[in-house]
Amino acid sequence: MKIYSILFLSLALLGCSKEKESTETYDVSAEAAVAVASEAVAEVSIEPEDQWQYETTKDEMRGIEKQYASIHSSNQVHFDFPYEGGSNLNITLRRDVGKPTDVYFSISKGQFTCDTFNNNCYASIKIDDGPVENISLVGTKDYSSEILFIESDHDSKQFIQRIKKANQVIVELPFYQGGRQQFKFDIDGLKWDL
């Protein structure tokens, strides 16, 4: 019985010493990793990410390309159930070959509440330090409550021309059980030909 007790005690002490060694090795490795990472960060210069995202899609059957440019709002709005958790607004420019560019607003979570049937739907927009302006909006053909388009081609073209020269835009839209909410965009650097 004494032999088993001595053997067990020896194994326990051996295990403790191994655990201590591995902890010390881990700490040294962690310090070395931090030092290497710090050196790597010091050597790499990071360019600011372009806020605008660009995409081209192609209809293989018809051979027609569509081009998109979109940007997410820099702030989020928090709606009640079932949309809690923060919602971003997106501005998207869409161009079909041979057609004017469409501009539309889409919400990540939530529903717009706009009277598009009676032409009483608008966005309030402020570009840089300019005045607040209202732009008429229309819904989609399938009556989606998450997307609204700028109604006229003329207004879409003017909006694009103005945001190409601007740094910031604030867009205010009406939401179901949320009232009118404001979203901010850092829009500098849009690359889009009219």
Side-chain angles (χ1 to χ4, degrees):
M1 190 61 113
K2 272 185 169 180
I3 296 174
Y4 289 120
S5 297
I6 294 172
L7 183 62
F8 179 72
L9 186 56
S10 299
L11 288 174
L13 289 174
L14 183 62
C16 287
S17 67
K18 293 271 189 193
E19 186 176 315
K20 187 175 180 183
E21 286 175 19
S22 67
T23 303
E24 290 172 5
T25 305
Y26 174 75
D27 290 341
V28 170
S29 298
E31 289 173 11
V34 170
V36 169
S38 297
E39 290 173 14
V41 170
E43 294 173 11
V44 176
S45 64
I46 299 173
E47 295 295 323
E49 184 179 333
D50 192 2
Q51 297 291 322
W52 286 96
Q53 302 296 313
Y54 301 92
E55 181 182 0
T56 300
T57 61
K58 186 172 183 176
D59 180 337
E60 295 296 327
M61 183 182 291
R62 293 170 186 82
I64 297 172
E65 285 189 350
K66 289 185 182 182
Q67 296 174 332
Y68 298 87
S70 62
I71 190 168
H72 302 290
S73 61
S74 58
N75 68 315
Q76 292 185 331
V77 170
H78 296 273
F79 296 112
D80 291 333
F81 176 83
Y83 305 111
E84 66 269 9
S87 299
N88 286 86
L89 186 70
N90 300 315
I91 299 174
T92 303
L93 314 180
R94 178 183 71 184
R95 176 176 32 223
D96 291 353
V97 174
K99 295 183 180 178
T101 299
D102 292 318
V103 178
Y104 63 89
F105 305 99
S106 59
I107 190 71
S108 61
K109 293 187 293 183
Q111 295 182 46
F112 296 117
T113 179
C114 244
D115 185 3
T116 56
F117 295 111
N118 295 314
N119 295 327
N120 188 20
C121 183
Y122 64 93
S124 296
I125 296 175
K126 181 179 175 92
I127 299 173
D128 285 338
D129 293 325
V132 176
E133 301 174 42
N134 294 332
I135 296 179
S136 294
L137 304 173
V138 293
T140 63
K141 291 179 183 177
D142 66 354
Y143 305 107
S144 170
S145 60
E146 291 103 25
I147 297 175
L148 291 171
F149 284 83
I150 292 180
E151 183 175 23
S152 78
D153 295 339
H154 175 73
D155 287 347
S156 292
K157 186 175 181 178
Q158 275 193 327
F159 179 76
I160 295 166
Q161 287 173 338
R162 293 178 61 206
I163 65 173
K164 282 179 70 170
K165 299 174 188 171
N167 294 315
Q168 186 182 57
V169 65
I170 301 173
V171 178
E172 182 183 79
L173 291 163
F175 290 90
Y176 177 70
Q177 296 184 341
R180 294 188 72 81
Q181 300 291 330
Q182 296 180 2
F183 294 86
K184 297 176 185 174
F185 296 85
D186 297 318
I187 55 172
D188 187 38
L190 172 62
K191 300 172 187 81
W192 193 267
D193 296 325
L194 290 173

